[in-house]
Amino acid sequence: MERSAIFHRPGNNDSYIFDDSTLAIRIKTKKDNVDSIQLLYGDPYMWKDGKWIFQKMNMLLNATDALFDYWEVKITPPHRRIRYGFELHSHEEILFYTEKGFYEEAIDDCSYYFCFPYLHASELFDAPAWVKDTYWYQIFPERFANGSPTKNTDNVIPWGSAEPTQSNFFGGDIEGIIQHLDYLVDLGINGIYLTPIFTAQSNHKYDTIDYFEIDPQFGTKEDFKRLVKECHARGIKVMLDAVFNHCGYYFPPFQDVLEKGNQSDYLNWFYPHNLPLHGGQHPNYETFGFVESMPKLNTQHPEVEKYLLDVASYWIKEFDIDGWRLDVANEVDHQFWRKFRAVVRKQKPDLYILGEIWHDSMPWLLGDQFDAVMNYPFTTNVLNLLAKQTISAQEFMNSMTTVIQSYPKNVMDVTFNLVGSHDTPRILTECQEDLNRVKLIYTLLYTFIGSPCMYYGDEIGMTGGSDPGCRKCMEWNQDNQDLDLLDHVKKLISLRQTEKLLANEGDFQFLNHIQTEIVAYRKYQGDRNVLVIINPTNNEQIFKIPYSLKGLVINNMWSEEQFISNVETNQVKLEPFGFRILAYRLGTAVETI
């Protein structure tokens, strides 16, 4: 047994509060190196005859990737506190793993063991329950719909009359969104995420000038209030985009510093290197990247903190929004985000807080800052599998297993899954306009764990390269829409709405312990199972289900066909880029890897 490849550290994703009374404990070991593990556990204050009293519980091998096996158990400590260790079995070898190291025999002194001091309700990760059942739609307001052409300014050009650039305007507005809400309802959408709508100079609005005003190009506060009301009447949640890492060049406090230098009351709102301020390729003040038009805000300054927290509270209190998406969230200090959470949750207890972070995000997902982050590892792996075709099915499952095991389950259940956005090429373009691959990507998106998001127009087959190409005007002429692709997306959303296992009810497991060219995973709870099988190749493939379904009624959720398995080993033949979504009930406990 390789001791160097056995790892557990209390906290974060290795031991976390699963619900009010349950603790989830994980450990990882070298792949195929350990046969079984038992958790040794007990109350730290339960002793008899000078020895600590402990019990044992079998751990479940619930995941494996290229290097490691991942084991897990859920336990309910009677007094909400626990000391614990691990008894590992490999062939005839037995090893005991504790906080103080490895031993050949179990130690009867609990001070040697790992500790979870107390399950505090205040430390439970409490993302809003509604997010699990939400189907997001990202709208770039300037390009979704022009609902009030008579209010166009002189710089607005006719809808779709030119390729998008970083500086042109087509007149998209709030009224245009309102006019197409029924389209979103028909699609199955019940959550919209709007990129910034506050006063700004650009067409993307990530260079905020006034955080308390709607950009006049989009309409008025009354228009926005009506949008939220109309959305809520249709069961649609509304999430706004907050740019608190930086402001725009024409943000009045920054203009004041430009004008007055050391005499400005706002000097410490920013990070000047020296004065006077100047832009260029490398500005002499901190910015987002090195973009001179986006000076970085000093969120540790009390006045900046108050200003931004007032902004966050204002749009909830006055307009009843349901979520904040936080731009460049990783470059803002943690203490600000802790205060942000306290303020917005006080205003609306079930508000969704989503951070834009592209890397390991555990420090922000401890229950005191964000509810979720944008799941870019999912995006990257899906695109590598199906759009770029640079990784195999096995590599995809291994990589995504590593991601999933990096976070608690209740974090993964509400993570924000996307395959395209205003920052990336259109998914159809990424797939060289191969619709079969696009359909498979959406099949993954809407059957995977997490909260799925569709970028406007992707559902009808819009194309476009990187920014600004991915920001074309929405195509509303049905003659120019791919209605077959649209129907595919509608059906996937409908299936997820109907079968709650597809919407993060229950557990998740890749079937990647066997070598295969197929991506296969199951979602299960008790005896209920949904098995998703995806062929990411352009060749016909046969997948052998690695456990017996003999005698069970199997429902093909896509074709709505039912059949009873009468063989010990079921094989599924998949056409190139084909898939199956199979639902069934087991008569016994769910098999493990």
Side-chain angles (χ1 to χ4, degrees), residues 299-317:
T299 51
Q300 298 173 68
H301 190 284
E303 293 176 7
V304 176
E305 177 187 281
K306 182 181 185 306
Y307 175 84
L308 295 178
L309 294 181
D310 285 348
V311 169
S313 181
Y314 173 78
W315 292 95
I316 302 169
K317 181 179 179 181

Side-chain angles (χ1 to χ4, degrees), residues 288-524:
F288 165 66
F290 292 105
V291 182
E292 64 178 338
S293 61
M294 296 181 176
K296 183 173 176 63
L297 288 164
N298 179 8
T299 51
Q300 298 173 68
H301 190 284
E303 293 176 7
V304 176
E305 177 187 281
K306 182 181 185 306
Y307 175 84
L308 295 178
L309 294 181
D310 285 348
V311 169
S313 181
Y314 173 78
W315 292 95
I316 302 169
K317 181 179 179 181
E318 297 297 327
F319 301 91
D320 196 27
I321 66 168
D322 304 290
W324 277 114
R325 183 265 189 185
L326 308 170
D327 189 60
V328 200
N330 59 333
E331 295 187 24
V332 176
D333 62 290
H334 290 281
Q335 189 58 31
F336 175 83
W337 290 132
R338 293 186 183 100
K339 293 179 180 179
F340 174 89
R341 183 180 187 87
V343 166
V344 300
R345 281 299 184 85
K346 182 178 180 181
Q347 196 72 52
K348 192 168 190 175
D350 67 344
L351 185 103
Y352 183 48
I353 305 171
L354 172 66
E356 182 204 17
I357 299 179
W358 293 63
H359 52 83
D360 181 11
S361 306
M362 197 65 241
W364 289 268
L365 296 169
L366 300 174
D368 60 343
Q369 295 172 69
F370 305 160
D371 296 314
V373 294
M374 304 181 79
N375 194 357
Y376 287 109
F378 173 81
T379 311
T380 299
N381 280 290
V382 169
L383 294 184
N384 286 344
L385 175 71
L386 285 162
K388 301 175 183 178
Q389 297 180 298
T390 56
I391 62 174
S392 67
Q394 194 74 39
E395 289 169 324
F396 171 80
M397 291 187 288
N398 286 344
S399 182
M400 284 309 304
T401 295
T402 305
V403 173
I404 292 168
Q405 293 298 316
S406 298
Y407 300 96
K409 179 188 183 301
N410 38 16
V411 170
M412 288 303 303
D413 282 348
V414 294
T415 193
F416 192 86
N417 292 343
L418 66 162
V419 294
S421 75
H422 64 289
D423 288 325
T424 63
R426 290 278 181 178
I427 193 65
L428 184 56
T429 298
E430 289 271 37
C431 290
Q432 294 79 51
E433 302 196 17
D434 184 335
L435 284 166
N436 289 322
R437 285 190 276 159
V438 173
K439 286 181 178 180
L440 213 51
I441 284 173
Y442 292 148
T443 303
L444 261 170
L445 176 66
Y446 287 106
T447 60
F448 209 72
I449 48 175
S451 193
C453 180
M454 175 70 66
Y455 182 49
Y456 83 95
D458 277 355
E459 77 280 7
I460 56 168
M462 287 180 60
T463 58
S466 299
D467 170 25
C470 56
R471 302 176 180 181
K472 291 179 181 178
C473 293
M474 177 66 175
E475 180 57 72
W476 289 111
N477 184 345
Q478 283 197 356
D479 292 339
N480 297 326
Q481 296 179 350
D482 189 321
L483 300 182
D484 178 60
L485 180 60
L486 179 63
D487 286 341
H488 182 83
V489 173
K490 285 183 181 180
K491 187 170 182 178
L492 285 168
I493 294 176
S494 178
L495 287 181
R496 191 176 173 106
Q497 291 170 335
T498 302
E499 174 51 76
K500 293 303 181 183
L501 281 179
L502 292 176
N504 304 318
E505 180 184 285
D507 292 302
F508 175 95
Q509 184 182 67
F510 276 117
L511 303 184
N512 61 329
H513 56 294
I514 51 176
Q515 289 296 320
T516 175
E517 295 299 317
I518 297 297
V519 172
Y521 48 89
R522 66 190 180 104
K523 291 179 158 184
Y524 60 94

Side-chain angles (χ1 to χ4, degrees), residues 561-590:
E561 297 174 312
Q562 283 191 347
F563 63 95
I564 298 176
S565 172
N566 57 8
V567 295
E568 290 292 341
T569 303
N570 288 91
Q571 295 188 142
V572 180
K573 183 184 291 186
L574 294 105
E575 62 278 11
F577 302 116
F579 67 92
R580 300 290 184 274
I581 305 174
L582 307 177
Y584 54 91
R585 287 180 179 270
L586 292 174
T588 58
V590 175

Side-chain angles (χ1 to χ4, degrees), residues 139 144 174-189 192 226-234 236-238 476:
I139 293 176
F144 186 63
I174 292 171
E175 181 61 37
I177 300 173
I178 294 173
Q179 292 175 6
H180 291 91
L181 288 179
D182 289 340
Y183 166 82
L184 298 181
V185 171
D186 183 60
L187 180 58
I189 298 301
I192 58 172
R226 186 161 56 91
L227 170 62
V228 175
K229 185 177 179 180
E230 293 286 346
C231 282
H232 287 172
R234 293 168 172 81
I236 299 174
K237 303 287 188 180
V238 179
W476 289 111

